[in-house]
Coordinates of all heavy atoms in Angstrom, one line a residue:
K294 N 73.9 98.3 83.0 CA 74.5 97.7 84.2 C 73.7 96.4 84.6 O 72.5 96.3 84.5 CB 74.4 98.7 85.3 CG 75.3 99.9 85.1 CD 75.2 100.9 86.3 CE 76.1 102.1 86.0 NZ 76.0 103.0 87.2
C295 N 74.5 95.4 85.0 CA 73.9 94.2 85.6 C 74.2 94.2 87.1 O 75.3 94.4 87.5 CB 74.6 93.0 84.9 SG 74.5 92.9 83.1
Y296 N 73.1 93.9 87.8 CA 73.2 93.8 89.3 C 73.2 92.4 89.7 O 72.2 91.7 89.5 CB 72.1 94.6 89.9 CG 72.2 96.1 89.6 CD1 71.7 96.6 88.3 CD2 72.8 97.0 90.4 CE1 71.8 97.9 88.0 CE2 73.0 98.3 90.1 CZ 72.5 98.8 88.9 OH 72.6 100.1 88.6
V297 N 74.2 91.9 90.3 CA 74.4 90.5 90.5 C 74.5 90.2 92.0 O 75.3 90.9 92.8 CB 75.7 90.0 89.9 CG1 75.9 88.5 90.1 CG2 75.8 90.4 88.4
V298 N 73.7 89.3 92.5 CA 73.7 88.9 93.9 C 74.1 87.5 94.0 O 73.6 86.6 93.2 CB 72.3 89.0 94.5 CG1 72.3 88.6 96.0 CG2 71.8 90.5 94.4
G299 N 75.1 87.2 94.8 CA 75.6 85.8 94.9 C 76.5 85.7 96.1 O 77.0 86.6 96.6
A300 N 76.6 84.4 96.6 CA 77.6 84.2 97.7 C 78.2 82.8 97.5 O 77.7 82.0 96.8 CB 76.8 84.2 99.0
C301 N 79.4 82.7 98.1 CA 80.2 81.4 97.8 C 79.8 80.4 98.8 O 79.8 80.6 100.0 CB 81.7 81.7 98.0 SG 82.7 80.3 97.7
G302 N 79.3 79.2 98.3 CA 79.1 78.1 99.2 C 77.7 78.1 99.9 O 77.1 79.2 100.0
E303 N 77.3 77.0 100.3 CA 76.0 76.9 101.0 C 76.0 77.5 102.4 O 75.0 77.8 102.9 CB 75.6 75.4 101.1 CG 75.3 74.8 99.7 CD 74.0 75.3 99.2 OE1 73.2 76.0 99.9 OE2 73.8 75.2 98.0
N304 N 77.2 77.7 103.0 CA 77.2 78.2 104.4 C 77.2 79.7 104.5 O 77.1 80.2 105.5 CB 78.5 77.6 105.1 CG 78.5 76.1 105.2 OD1 77.5 75.5 105.4 ND2 79.7 75.5 105.1
A305 N 77.3 80.4 103.3 CA 77.3 81.8 103.3 C 75.8 82.3 103.6 O 74.9 81.7 103.0 CB 77.8 82.4 102.0
T306 N 75.7 83.2 104.5 CA 74.3 83.6 104.9 C 73.9 84.9 104.2 O 72.7 85.1 104.1 CB 74.3 83.9 106.4 OG1 75.3 84.8 106.8 CG2 74.5 82.6 107.2
N307 N 74.8 85.7 103.7 CA 74.5 86.9 103.0 C 75.3 87.1 101.8 O 76.4 86.6 101.6 CB 74.7 88.2 104.0 CG 73.7 88.2 105.1 OD1 72.5 88.4 104.9 ND2 74.2 87.9 106.3
A308 N 74.8 87.9 100.9 CA 75.5 88.1 99.6 C 75.4 89.6 99.2 O 74.3 90.2 99.3 CB 74.8 87.3 98.5
S309 N 76.5 90.1 98.8 CA 76.5 91.5 98.5 C 76.1 91.7 97.0 O 76.1 90.8 96.2 CB 77.9 92.1 98.7 OG 78.8 91.4 97.8
V310 N 75.7 92.9 96.7 CA 75.3 93.3 95.3 C 76.6 93.7 94.6 O 77.3 94.6 95.0 CB 74.3 94.5 95.3 CG1 74.0 94.9 93.9 CG2 73.0 94.0 96.1
Q311 N 76.9 93.0 93.5 CA 78.0 93.4 92.6 C 77.4 94.0 91.3 O 76.4 93.6 90.8 CB 78.8 92.2 92.3 CG 79.5 91.6 93.5 CD 80.3 90.4 93.1 OE1 81.3 90.6 92.4 NE2 80.0 89.2 93.7
I312 N 78.0 95.1 90.9 CA 77.5 95.9 89.8 C 78.4 95.7 88.6 O 79.6 96.2 88.6 CB 77.3 97.4 90.1 CG1 76.4 97.5 91.4 CG2 76.6 98.1 89.0 CD1 76.4 98.9 92.0
C313 N 78.0 95.1 87.5 CA 78.8 94.9 86.3 C 78.2 95.8 85.2 O 77.0 95.7 84.9 CB 78.7 93.4 85.9 SG 79.2 92.3 87.2
E314 N 79.1 96.6 84.6 CA 78.7 97.5 83.6 C 79.4 97.2 82.3 O 80.6 97.0 82.3 CB 78.9 99.0 84.0 CG 78.4 100.0 83.0 CD 78.3 101.4 83.5 OE1 78.9 101.7 84.5 OE2 77.7 102.2 82.8
Y315 N 78.7 97.4 81.2 CA 79.2 97.2 79.9 C 79.7 98.5 79.4 O 79.0 99.5 79.3 CB 78.2 96.7 78.9 CG 78.7 96.3 77.5 CD1 79.6 95.3 77.4 CD2 78.3 97.1 76.4 CE1 80.1 95.1 76.1 CE2 78.7 96.8 75.2 CZ 79.6 95.8 75.0 OH 80.1 95.5 73.8
F316 N 81.0 98.6 79.0 CA 81.6 99.8 78.5 C 81.9 99.7 77.0 O 82.6 98.8 76.6 CB 82.9 100.1 79.2 CG 82.8 100.6 80.6 CD1 83.8 100.4 81.6 CD2 81.7 101.3 81.0 CE1 83.6 100.9 82.8 CE2 81.5 101.8 82.3 CZ 82.5 101.6 83.2
D317 N 81.4 100.6 76.2 CA 81.8 100.6 74.8 C 83.3 101.0 74.7 O 84.0 100.6 73.8 CB 80.9 101.6 74.1 CG 79.6 101.1 73.8 OD1 79.3 99.9 74.0 OD2 78.7 101.8 73.3
C318 N 83.8 101.9 75.5 CA 85.1 102.3 75.5 C 85.7 102.0 76.9 O 85.7 102.8 77.8 CB 85.3 103.8 75.3 SG 84.6 104.4 73.7
H319 N 86.2 100.8 77.0 CA 86.6 100.3 78.3 C 87.9 99.5 78.2 O 88.0 98.5 77.5 CB 85.6 99.5 79.0 CG 86.2 98.5 80.0 ND1 86.1 97.2 79.9 CD2 86.9 98.7 81.1 CE1 86.7 96.6 80.8 NE2 87.2 97.5 81.6
V320 N 89.0 100.0 78.8 CA 90.2 99.3 78.8 C 90.9 99.6 80.2 O 90.9 100.8 80.6 CB 91.2 99.7 77.7 CG1 92.5 98.9 77.8 CG2 90.6 99.4 76.4
N321 N 91.4 98.6 80.9 CA 92.0 98.8 82.2 C 91.1 99.6 83.2 O 91.5 100.5 83.9 CB 93.3 99.6 82.1 CG 94.4 98.8 81.4 OD1 94.2 97.6 81.3 ND2 95.4 99.4 80.9
N322 N 89.8 99.3 83.1 CA 88.8 99.9 83.9 C 88.6 101.4 83.8 O 88.1 102.1 84.6 CB 89.1 99.6 85.4 CG 89.0 98.1 85.7 OD1 88.6 97.3 84.9 ND2 89.5 97.7 86.9
N323 N 89.1 101.9 82.7 CA 88.9 103.4 82.4 C 87.9 103.6 81.3 O 87.9 102.8 80.4 CB 90.3 104.0 82.0 CG 91.3 104.0 83.1 OD1 90.9 104.2 84.3 ND2 92.5 103.8 82.8
H324 N 87.1 104.6 81.5 CA 86.1 104.8 80.5 C 86.0 106.3 80.2 O 86.0 107.1 81.1 CB 84.7 104.4 81.0 CG 83.6 104.7 80.1 ND1 82.4 105.2 80.5 CD2 83.4 104.6 78.8 CE1 81.6 105.4 79.5 NE2 82.2 105.0 78.4
F325 N 86.1 106.7 78.9 CA 85.9 108.1 78.6 C 85.2 108.2 77.3 O 85.1 107.3 76.5 CB 87.3 108.8 78.4 CG 87.9 108.5 77.1 CD1 87.8 109.5 76.1 CD2 88.7 107.4 76.8 CE1 88.3 109.3 74.8 CE2 89.2 107.2 75.6 CZ 89.1 108.1 74.6
S326 N 84.5 109.3 77.1 CA 83.8 109.6 75.9 C 84.1 110.9 75.2 O 83.6 111.2 74.2 CB 82.3 109.5 76.2 OG 82.0 110.5 77.2
D327 N 85.0 111.6 75.8 CA 85.4 113.0 75.3 C 86.5 112.9 74.3 O 87.5 113.5 74.4 CB 85.8 113.9 76.5 CG 85.9 115.3 76.0 OD1 85.3 115.7 75.0 OD2 86.6 116.1 76.7
S328 N 86.2 112.2 73.2 CA 87.2 112.2 72.1 C 86.7 113.3 71.1 O 85.7 113.9 71.2 CB 87.2 110.8 71.4 OG 85.9 110.5 71.0
I329 N 87.6 113.5 70.0 CA 87.3 114.5 69.0 C 86.9 113.8 67.7 O 87.7 112.9 67.2 CB 88.5 115.4 68.8 CG1 88.6 116.3 70.1 CG2 88.3 116.3 67.6 CD1 89.8 117.3 70.0
L330 N 85.8 114.1 67.2 CA 85.4 113.6 65.9 C 85.9 114.5 64.8 O 85.6 115.7 64.8 CB 83.8 113.5 65.8 CG 83.3 113.0 64.5 CD1 83.7 111.6 64.2 CD2 81.8 113.1 64.4
I331 N 86.7 113.9 63.9 CA 87.3 114.7 62.8 C 86.5 114.5 61.6 O 86.4 113.3 61.1 CB 88.8 114.3 62.7 CG1 89.6 114.7 63.9 CG2 89.4 115.1 61.5 CD1 91.0 114.2 63.9
T332 N 86.1 115.5 60.9 CA 85.4 115.4 59.7 C 86.2 116.3 58.6 O 86.3 117.5 58.8 CB 83.9 116.0 59.7 OG1 83.2 115.2 60.7 CG2 83.3 115.8 58.4

Side-chain angles (χ1 to χ4, degrees):
K294 295 181 180 180
C295 303
Y296 296 84
V297 184
V298 177
C301 181
E303 290 292 343
N304 295 326
T306 56
N307 293 291
S309 61
V310 176
Q311 299 182 61
I312 305 170
C313 306
E314 184 169 12
Y315 184 66
F316 284 152
D317 284 351
C318 298
H319 155 243
V320 178
N321 292 345
N322 297 350
N323 293 324
H324 176 222
F325 82 93
S326 59
D327 188 21
S328 59
I329 292 180
L330 178 64
I331 298 173
T332 301

